[in-house]
Amino acid sequence: MSAHSLRFVHASDLHLETALGGLRAIPDHLRDLLIEAPYAAAQRMFETAVLENVDFLLLAGDVLDARAAGPRAIAFLRDQFEMLDQNGIAVYWIGGRSEMNGRWPETVALPDGVHIFSSNRVEEVSHFRNDTPIATIAGQSFDGRLDIRPGEFRGERGGPTHIALAYGHCPEEGIADQQVTYWALGSEHNRRTVTKPPSAAHYCGATQGRSVREPGPHGCQLVTITGSGEVRGAFTPTDSVRWRIERLGVKDKATFDDLRARMSERLTHVIGKEPGQTLLVRWVIEANESLARQLARPRDYNGLLDELRKEFGMGKSAAWSVEIEVTPPDEVAADRFNEDTILGDFLRSARQLQDDDRQPLAIQQLLGDDDLTQRCAEMLAVREPDLRRRVLHEATLLGLDLLTGEDAA
């Protein structure tokens, strides 16, 4: 093991070509912030490397698709690399699927301190300090295989600190046998530790969450490896916009006003915990039947969202409520399933579709047969299981409300 300590930043999945998604409409006062979020997060990551005076930066893939990102992203990255080069910080970069889609243009020169690994084989590069090798980085850019083969990154016992820079799925098996002190992994947008020291394997996640599927803080990993080989990792947040999923259970006899008060109380707490952070909040409400039916009404649903947005989504520490998903009780209108009525037929049909994922929703059959209508129907097709479940829940509640004509409030 090398007697030299070293520090580096491990980052991946900057995706400068991809904007934030999952918003039905972008509020005007957050528009610029959302557009700039990927660049702001990337810049904080590069600045972290300089402020922490690290030896080098590891980029574990999916930094950008140069073809889709365009000139701005290319110029931005080149400027950041030059800033690191001026501060004596090297960059070791493996390409991911994004780089494979749009490779770095040959006409744009990179500083000498930036090394991009080949996709043909695992390549080993030595990092020097004062002419002394203090680390060996073994890396390979994405070659179309998503399974990492640990044996191809094997280090040499007794040599400098050995670091693997890899993209794809990393198995736990075989990691500890390769004489690798740290595995810098890329391709997953949410950070995750595969194995802990003495052979640490870690996905640092994306620098900026892109959708509700990537909730919580996002950033980069600041890693210190001591002269004795001890690995110390510190997560550094870089995101300027953060997704949150807030779950509330409001069963029993809770009213619409009770729900509004609970949601306001939760947002006050959330903003207090993360002051200065812009939050995008998706609500998951486990409601009683009466509340669930009321929230299925567009007027009540949109009215509640508007109230929350005006109260909590407009300030410097904004918590913008994106949507509300309602999880109704397991048995909605259980006493009416056996009715010999239109409502009973409707509820039984809805339950049949919920119980059998193989049955198509067949939206096309409910629309006209002209070409334009059918193309629109194809765009509205529901294929994801979670979305199908939500659509059926909402349709059941709305149908129940319309067919009974009862006031759910």
Side-chain angles (χ1 to χ4, degrees):
M1 181 63 65
S2 170
H4 298 278
S5 64
L6 57 95
R7 303 181 81 206
F8 58 89
V9 165
H10 167 204
S12 74
D13 297 272
L14 279 62
H15 282 294
L16 294 177
E17 77 283 355
T18 306
L20 273 67
L23 293 167
R24 296 179 182 177
I26 299 178
D28 291 340
H29 70 291
L30 295 178
R31 185 179 305 275
D32 290 342
L33 180 66
L34 296 176
I35 291 172
E36 294 297 320
Y39 286 90
Q43 186 162 352
R44 288 194 184 103
M45 181 273 293
F46 286 113
E47 290 173 349
T48 296
V50 174
L51 292 172
E52 295 292 342
N53 193 29
V54 300
D55 293 286
F56 49 82
L57 165 66
L58 301 180
L59 292 176
D62 285 347
V63 174
L64 87 164
D65 175 343
R67 181 176 53 189
R72 180 194 175 186
I74 294 170
F76 169 82
L77 267 186
R78 183 192 58 199
D79 291 345
Q80 299 303 312
F81 289 151
E82 288 179 352
M83 176 186 70
L84 294 184
D85 193 55
Q86 292 167 6
N87 285 273
I89 299 173
V91 177
Y92 300 103
W93 179 8
I94 58 170
R97 278 178 289 195
S98 291
E99 285 82 1
M100 176 174 280
N101 292 335
R103 300 185 183 280
W104 186 266
E106 296 180 0
T107 55
V108 181
L110 291 172
D112 293 337
V114 178
H115 181 86
I116 301 178
F117 287 83
S118 167
S119 61
N120 296 328
R121 61 182 177 83
V122 175
E123 178 186 358
E124 291 188 0
V125 177
S126 294
H127 181 82
F128 290 82
R129 181 191 295 156
N130 298 327
D131 298 326
T132 300
I134 63 170
T136 299
I137 296 98
Q140 181 179 12
S141 293
F142 180 57
D143 64 353
R145 301 178 302 174
L146 276 176
D147 290 325
I148 296 171
R149 294 165 171 77
E152 297 179 358
F153 295 83
R154 185 174 180 80
E156 181 180 349
R157 185 183 296 274
T161 299
H162 198 80
I163 298 169
L165 185 55
Y167 178 94
H169 172 68
C170 183
E172 287 190 45
E173 299 78 12
I175 291 292
D177 302 329
Q178 307 308 323
Q179 303 301 317
V180 175
T181 302
Y182 184 85
W183 294 77
L185 305 173
S187 76
E188 294 192 8
H189 290 188
N190 295 315
R191 69 184 190 275
R192 178 171 71 92
T193 297
V194 179
T195 61
K196 297 180 180 180
S199 184
H202 186 71
Y203 289 95
C204 61
T207 49
Q208 170 63 59
R210 289 308 197 282
S211 71
V212 72
R213 294 181 179 179
E214 301 169 15
H218 282 73
C220 58
Q221 192 79 354
L222 177 63
V223 181
T224 300
I225 300 179
T226 67
S228 62
E230 180 185 359
V231 179
R232 300 171 184 168
F235 171 72
T236 301
T238 60
D239 50 355
S240 57
V241 179
R242 187 169 298 168
W243 289 84
R244 287 186 66 98
I245 299 176
E246 292 297 326
R247 303 179 185 276
L248 276 180
V250 279
K251 294 185 175 182
D252 303 325
K253 297 182 179 180
T255 66
F256 200 75
D257 288 338
D258 294 333
L259 172 62
R260 184 189 296 108
R262 291 277 306 276
M263 295 173 82
S264 296
E265 181 182 351
R266 177 67 62 85
L267 285 179
T268 300
H269 175 72
V270 164
I271 290 175
K273 285 183 61 178
E274 301 189 82
Q277 181 72 49
T278 298
L279 304 171
L280 300 176
V281 182
R282 176 173 179 257
W283 294 94
V284 179
I285 306 298
E286 189 176 358
N288 57 44
E289 182 181 319
S290 175
L291 267 178
R293 287 172 55 191
Q294 192 167 358
L295 284 170
R297 300 173 183 173
R299 183 185 63 184
D300 292 325
Y301 174 93
N302 292 325
L304 179 57
L305 266 184
D306 287 343
E307 288 183 24
L308 294 173
R309 288 169 175 175
K310 289 176 182 177
E311 184 176 358
F312 297 99
M314 308 301 291
K316 188 174 182 180
S317 296
W320 183 264
S321 293
V322 176
E323 63 176 346
I324 303 172
E325 177 186 349
V326 181
T327 303
D330 293 335
E331 291 292 339
V332 177
D335 57 331
R336 300 186 177 184
F337 272 98
N338 296 322
E339 288 184 1
D340 188 17
T341 61
I342 295 176
L343 175 59
D345 290 341
F346 169 76
L347 291 174
R348 287 189 290 273
S349 297
R351 175 186 280 178
Q352 190 174 17
L353 288 169
Q354 290 170 351
D355 290 343
D356 188 355
D357 292 341
R358 296 171 298 178
Q359 288 197 45
L361 297 185
I363 296 175
Q364 292 91 334
Q365 298 177 14
L366 305 177
L367 304 174
D369 57 3
D370 61 279
D371 186 57
L372 177 60
T373 302
Q374 286 300 306
R375 287 205 301 271
C376 291
E378 180 61 27
M379 294 172 63
L380 294 172
V382 178
R383 295 185 175 89
E384 295 183 9
D386 287 345
L387 180 59
R388 174 191 170 92
R389 175 182 55 79
R390 289 180 58 188
V391 167
L392 287 170
H393 275 318
E394 292 178 13
T396 300
L397 292 168
L398 187 58
L400 176 64
D401 199 47
L402 292 173
L403 290 171
T404 60
E406 297 174 1
D407 185 2

